Amino acid sequence: MIYLKNTQQLLVMKKAGSIVARCLEMLERHIKPGVSTAELNKMAHEFILSHNATPSFLNYKGFPASINTSINEEIVHGIPDSRRLMSGDIIGIDIGVFFSGYHGDAARTFGVGTISEEDERLLEVTKKSFFEGIKYARKGNRLNQICKTIGTYIEDNGFGVIEEFVGHGIGRDIHEMPNIPNHDMGKKGPKIDKGMTFAIEPMVSVGSPESYIVEDGWTAITLDGKNSAHYENTIAITDGEPEILTLY
């Protein structure tokens, strides 16, 4: 079932989304060679708590940290630890916040120091694919118009679409229906309606789109070891253009 949110619920989700956005903005200032992902996790955890919210991911199905930190070939669900960033790395940071009964969820991939031209383009295409997709996030359209547009844009630009992981509905639960793949579903999917809230999150690879989970049971990496990027926002469907709830 896809839950529609009323005006008051959307206002709360916008507040949750604002905390996510400001936390990402804060972390971006600290992403530099030498910082550890555990340190970034600590900063994010303290920031979220200081805004009268809680981290959505901490202990979710046993996840042991407040944010996901995925470096280079790591696609998603990387666990923060003592590893220190190096110039030339790229790092995906995924943050969920639970505030007054509702969740916000967003991800960004950042370059550390000086990164390659290929990785610069990877980050640009990943971000742009999101904005291409949400052109169709309008009342009356079908969900697959978003999914197909994202996948087509990524592949037309020479990158791979990670199909194993998808976007999702969001609200009282961090993951609600519907699932939102980043490729053509082969069917129209549900009709989009005002009050729906989605977390749309393209995950893109330089090489093979295939992936596997490492020994920690969480971190997904590309099968060929090539870099990947992740970009996500929570959006709300309105009578017109979609509202992005996780931009600040």
Side-chain angles (χ1 to χ4, degrees), residues 18-146:
S18 175
I19 297 169
V20 172
R22 285 180 285 162
C23 189
L24 283 164
E25 184 182 56
M26 178 274 294
L27 290 179
E28 184 176 14
R29 297 195 296 269
H30 294 277
I31 292 171
K32 56 187 177 182
V35 71
S36 73
T37 53
E39 289 167 343
L40 295 174
N41 181 73
K42 184 174 186 291
M43 293 176 203
H45 182 84
E46 292 174 351
F47 183 94
I48 293 167
L49 294 184
S50 74
H51 287 79
N52 299 312
T54 56
S56 301
F57 301 153
L58 183 60
N59 299 319
Y60 178 73
K61 296 185 177 180
F63 189 76
S66 296
I67 64 174
N68 296 175
T69 54
S70 305
I71 302 173
N72 296 334
E73 74 278 8
E74 297 170 354
I75 301 164
V76 70
H77 303 154
I79 300 173
D81 57 19
S82 60
R83 179 177 176 182
R84 296 192 178 276
L85 300 179
M86 299 172 59
S87 183
D89 286 340
I90 60 172
I91 178 170
I93 296 182
D94 192 355
I95 298 177
V97 161
F98 185 65
F99 175 80
S100 294
Y102 288 86
H103 294 270
D105 187 8
R108 304 284 186 269
T109 302
F110 303 105
V112 183
T114 302
I115 65 174
S116 69
E117 289 185 9
E118 181 178 61
D119 283 340
E120 288 277 12
R121 189 162 175 271
L122 171 66
L123 269 57
E124 179 184 355
V125 168
T126 304
K127 179 179 179 179
K128 186 69 183 299
S129 71
F130 166 87
F131 286 98
E132 289 295 312
I134 68 165
K135 290 178 180 178
Y136 296 92
R138 299 178 67 105
K139 180 180 177 180
N141 286 344
R142 293 284 185 172
L143 186 66
N144 194 49
Q145 291 174 273
I146 300 173

Side-chain angles (χ1 to χ4, degrees), residues 137-210:
R138 299 178 67 105
K139 180 180 177 180
N141 286 344
R142 293 284 185 172
L143 186 66
N144 194 49
Q145 291 174 273
I146 300 173
C147 305
K148 183 177 180 179
T149 300
I150 291 172
T152 298
Y153 183 84
I154 292 166
E155 291 177 343
D156 283 352
N157 279 277
F159 292 101
V161 179
I162 307 293
E163 296 189 3
E164 286 84 355
F165 303 97
V166 300
H168 50 91
I170 184 171
R172 289 189 180 276
D173 293 321
I174 187 67
H175 292 126
E176 297 183 350
M177 292 300 292
N179 288 333
I180 307 173
N182 298 303
H183 60 88
D184 188 350
M185 295 189 291
K187 57 183 179 180
K188 291 181 178 179
K191 184 177 286 188
I192 298 169
D193 201 1
K194 180 181 179 180
M196 290 182 176
T197 47
F198 302 144
I200 296 176
E201 50 181 320
M203 283 163 265
V204 182
S205 65
V206 168
S208 169
E210 296 181 70

